[in-house]
Amino acid sequence: MSAPPDTHPWHVVAATLADAGCDVVVGLPSDEPGLMDAAHTTPGLRVLGVRDQRAGACAAIGHSAVSGRPAVLAVNSGPSFANALTGLLEASSLGAPVVVVTTRVPALGIGRGGFQHTDQAAMARPLTKWDFLVEDPRQLTWALRRAVHLAVNGAPGVVLVEIADEVLRAPAPERRPAPPIRRLRFAADAEEVRRAARLLTGARLPVVVAGGGCKSAGAGAAVRRLAELLAAPLFTTAAGRGLVDEEHSLACGLVGLYTTPPADGLLIDADVVLAIGSRLEETARMGWNGLEDKTLVHVDVDPAVFHTAVEPEVALLGDAAVVAGQLADAVVAEAPAMTADGAARRAEVTAVRAAMRAHQTPADGPELTVTAALRLLQESVTREATLVQENGLHDMWGYHYPVVSVGDGARVITPGEQTMVGFGLPAAVGAALADPARRTVLVCGDGAFEMGLAALPTAAELNLGLTVLVLDNRGYGWPRFVRAEERAPDTLTRFTTPAHTDAAVHALGGLTAHCTTATELVAALEAAAKAHAEGRTTVITVPVRDDDVPVGVRRVFDTASPAGATA
């Protein structure tokens, strides 16, 4: 006879995760009632059922990014676990706090052909901060609470807890209610902070770069104050976007591949760079000539980040919000609030922002370019919406300020340095579930949308009312662009069969529209707003040209604009 549901080990698992601060369990139902079933009856937990474990991992990322809380991914040993790894690769790259809970086959089957046995820890170890196999019921609550602690503290990331089959068939351990796991905050060494402040106040042109670690620390106000005291241009990485309002007078958009000229000149001319909560991955460094020769002040919560991409002059170990506050106080002590140099820098940033807007505001015309489509999308959903992006060729226009400008109340969700295709739609599902009242919009290419299509039924079941803008080049734009640069054949990058996505959207009660003019797109966006209120997904497809290439890509690849290309 099976145990009553409130005394089964899975109930203890679900209740422990809820106590620790998790609020969602994502996954597919297992053969026998498992974690998802227990979570369904546990106060404080929601269950997000998906059709694909890969999509489930991305949905967990999206939910965590909006809720600010760790998400749980429930899988099982074998293909279920292996299928989730691509999404977990992205979660690891992003530093998303995801707690993976999986089963382990009976011990007697290990080494003897046990059904669906796989060495899960070995497969996931390059992606996880910690993994642990629970082999005794007395380890269960300890392991789960430690997992949540490690997922959110230090550099947030993926943790793995395997639960042996024998534990799940034993009497449930006693569970005692416990307080939520708290994010630990700590300050940097005071003398090193003063040394960094002297470098920054003595700089000719200091530049601040804020990464995704600032968002998880809630460092927006502290970073903004620091930039204002320094009169420094303020950039973010893709993961850090939404930390500050991009209409702030010092905000210059994104760094690296996504920098909009002429803001790249500020990065090149900078003599001291303050990087906060960023590992300065390759995408953030692309097109930034001379970064290695600049004086770097690097702030991070993880000591392993330092000396990885660029060697810092000063490394400040601590919470992004706390250290930014320390630096601001030290800057006040070192220099007056405004100097002639600071006023000149502010004037230069103002001129740069004006030039960015002049160059990148789409001109009205009969043809619907990517930049024009993105402007109309943002006018419809506002600057405070949740924006989910892929990393395809054309949708990278959306990473460029001022083509898209986000407020500090917006939620921006992007893939990390792995940029898996098909990330966007399941991530949007998780994000929308975390805040259903907020508009959640996805910008992606046609190939990425088709690859993420398994998440669409979940959006329909939950009445999430997503708005999806598909930039359709009938294939894979990035490989096509690179092949064109190398004068290589691009036949394999082109789709030759009609898309089936409209039929799938209609079958699930959603709306579709194909727009080639601004008038058509405005009408489609009005219909999408009504559909959102009804909990129905709208997919709007806009055909795009191969030469409508984002300005950052052209800059990094040193490609001259083809005749007629979008400026």
Side-chain angles (χ1 to χ4, degrees), residues 216-361:
S216 59
V223 170
R224 184 174 63 247
R225 175 184 175 229
L226 180 56
E228 290 169 348
L229 289 171
L230 293 168
L234 174 55
F235 293 81
T236 70
T237 65
R241 196 177 195 190
L243 180 77
V244 296
D245 191 323
E246 290 183 333
E247 294 309 316
H248 187 281
S249 59
L250 290 171
C252 295
L254 273 65
V255 74
L257 176 62
Y258 311 119
T259 303
T260 306
D264 56 327
L266 295 171
L267 294 171
I268 293 171
D269 291 344
D271 54 342
V272 179
V273 175
L274 170 61
I276 309 179
S278 171
R279 289 174 287 189
L280 293 175
E281 298 96 335
E282 183 178 4
T283 302
R285 306 192 309 271
M286 283 184 177
W288 192 346
N289 297 330
L291 172 60
E292 294 80 4
D293 299 325
K294 301 183 186 305
T295 299
L296 175 64
V297 176
H298 205 166
V299 179
D300 207 273
V301 75
D302 180 7
V305 165
F306 305 134
H307 296 262
T308 298
V310 181
E311 183 169 346
E313 178 70 23
V314 180
L316 299 177
L317 180 66
D319 176 84
V322 174
V323 178
Q326 286 181 281
L327 281 170
D329 292 343
V331 166
V332 169
E334 286 288 334
M338 179 54 71
T339 64
D341 288 343
R345 286 196 294 270
R346 280 185 173 273
E348 183 178 4
V349 173
T350 298
V352 166
R353 283 176 52 83
M356 293 165 71
R357 186 166 291 282
H359 293 161
Q360 299 306 327
T361 299

Side-chain angles (χ1 to χ4, degrees), residues 303-557:
V305 165
F306 305 134
H307 296 262
T308 298
V310 181
E311 183 169 346
E313 178 70 23
V314 180
L316 299 177
L317 180 66
D319 176 84
V322 174
V323 178
Q326 286 181 281
L327 281 170
D329 292 343
V331 166
V332 169
E334 286 288 334
M338 179 54 71
T339 64
D341 288 343
R345 286 196 294 270
R346 280 185 173 273
E348 183 178 4
V349 173
T350 298
V352 166
R353 283 176 52 83
M356 293 165 71
R357 186 166 291 282
H359 293 161
Q360 299 306 327
T361 299
D364 293 328
E367 185 179 13
L368 189 58
T369 61
V370 175
T371 53
L374 290 170
R375 174 175 60 86
L376 291 171
L377 174 66
Q378 183 156 69
E379 288 176 356
S380 174
V381 303
T382 80
R383 298 174 62 247
E384 305 304 313
T386 294
L387 172 64
V388 185
Q389 293 190 262
E390 291 269 356
N391 202 251
L393 178 64
H394 302 288
D395 53 277
M396 276 196 283
W397 265 120
Y399 288 75
H400 282 280
Y401 172 85
V403 175
V404 170
S405 172
V406 302
D408 55 7
R411 300 291 183 268
V412 183
I413 302 168
T414 66
E417 206 70 359
Q418 296 296 326
T419 65
M420 63 172 281
V421 181
F423 166 85
L425 187 57
V429 167
L433 180 67
D435 190 353
R438 183 192 294 263
R439 289 292 297 275
T440 298
V441 297
L442 165 64
V443 178
C444 64
D446 51 316
F449 183 65
E450 290 190 16
M451 194 173 289
L453 205 58
L456 199 61
T458 304
E461 288 174 347
L462 298 174
N463 300 314
L464 295 178
L466 305 177
T467 299
V468 183
L469 178 65
V470 177
L471 303 172
D472 184 4
N473 64 1
R474 296 300 303 136
Y476 295 113
W478 184 261
R480 191 181 303 166
F481 169 76
V482 174
R483 288 171 183 233
E485 290 291 295
E486 298 177 355
R487 294 180 172 80
D490 66 5
T491 303
L492 296 178
T493 69
R494 300 182 182 275
F495 298 160
T496 58
T497 57
H500 64 289
T501 51
D502 281 8
V505 175
H506 292 157
L508 294 166
L511 305 180
T512 63
H514 290 252
C515 303
T516 58
T517 67
T519 301
E520 292 174 343
L521 181 54
V522 168
L525 290 168
E526 290 175 352
K530 296 177 182 177
H532 166 73
E534 299 167 354
R536 303 166 66 196
T537 291
T538 302
V539 178
I540 302 171
T541 301
V542 173
V544 296
R545 303 193 318 262
D546 282 352
D547 62 2
D548 197 349
V549 176
V551 63
V553 174
R554 292 203 304 264
R555 179 175 58 84
V556 170
F557 277 76

